[in-house]
Amino acid sequence: MIGVNQLIPTSELQNLDLIDLLSERHTLVRRISEKAWNNQSEIHISNSEWYIMARIYKKKPTISYITKNVEISRQAIHKFINKLAEKGLVEINNVENNKKEKCIQLTALGEECYEKNESLKAQLENKIAEKIGFEQVKLLKDLLKLDWDIK
């Protein structure tokens, strides 16, 4: 049987390896998280846009720093940054003493949206913890934070 918002039937999860399990669960929680935000806000923000916003929250990185440290193509990053600017979520400024480089930061609206989304994600994490157990969630987070020494 396929559960609500489930990508594949629960019975099929039993046959997946670690990589595919991580991928399935990641896709599922990202989809639920994006839907929760878009159901309560007039400002549609994609998962890729959230990913970029997370990298700049409370910082003023350069756009080149973002392109080097985000696993999205350079061209797509520029497209997402421009969309975020059009929505009034980020502002792009010149870097002092550097005519070519630009830096990016969240606007007050961008910070407000980011913080509201963090709250929605905490609610989702809480729902997961209620279902599988708070200790299990803590253990899972601890395991994911470990240095796996893989490259």
Side-chain angles (χ1 to χ4, degrees):
M1 182 170 104
I2 298 179
V4 176
N5 294 316
Q6 190 85 20
L7 298 176
I8 64 172
T10 304
S11 60
E12 288 184 28
L13 289 176
Q14 308 308 313
N15 300 321
L16 297 180
D17 60 30
L18 175 65
I19 308 306
D20 291 339
L21 280 169
L22 287 170
S23 179
E24 286 293 325
R25 292 304 189 181
H26 175 257
T27 302
L28 175 64
V29 296
R30 280 287 170 205
R31 183 179 293 159
I32 293 168
S33 179
E34 184 177 9
K35 185 177 178 187
W37 171 263
N38 291 327
N39 284 344
Q40 63 92 51
S41 177
E42 294 293 314
I43 303 170
H44 175 83
I45 303 173
S46 72
N47 281 319
S48 295
E49 290 168 327
W50 284 122
Y51 185 48
I52 291 168
M53 289 174 69
R55 293 293 190 269
I56 62 177
Y57 179 68
K58 299 287 187 192
K59 298 178 192 134
K60 288 184 181 180
T62 62
I63 292 177
S64 63
Y65 174 85
I66 296 293
T67 60
K68 289 175 189 151
N69 292 285
V70 172
E71 295 295 322
I72 302 174
S73 74
R74 185 181 155 293
Q75 184 178 13
I77 288 170
H78 282 278
K79 182 178 125 189
F80 289 129
I81 288 173
N82 288 332
K83 280 184 178 181
L84 289 167
E86 288 169 14
K87 296 173 189 179
L89 300 172
V90 301
E91 57 185 35
I92 304 164
N93 298 303
N94 292 323
V95 172
E96 211 173 304
N97 303 321
N98 187 335
K99 302 232 187 284
K100 284 175 41 177
E101 191 70 76
K102 304 268 187 214
C103 67
I104 182 170
Q105 71 182 67
L106 293 178
T107 61
L109 175 62
E111 286 201 9
E112 181 184 333
C113 290
Y114 182 83
E115 290 165 2
K116 283 182 183 175
N117 191 54
E118 287 297 296
S119 176
L120 290 171
K121 290 190 318 184
Q123 290 173 26
L124 177 56
E125 183 177 319
N126 199 47
K127 277 184 183 178
I128 293 168
E130 287 173 0
K131 183 72 176 170
I132 69 171
F134 289 90
E135 280 301 312
Q136 298 294 75
V137 169
K138 182 186 178 318
L139 177 61
L140 178 59
K141 288 170 69 173
D142 289 345
L143 289 170
L144 292 171
K145 291 175 188 176
L146 290 174
D147 180 358
W148 293 2
D149 196 26
I150 55 176
K151 301 251 187 292

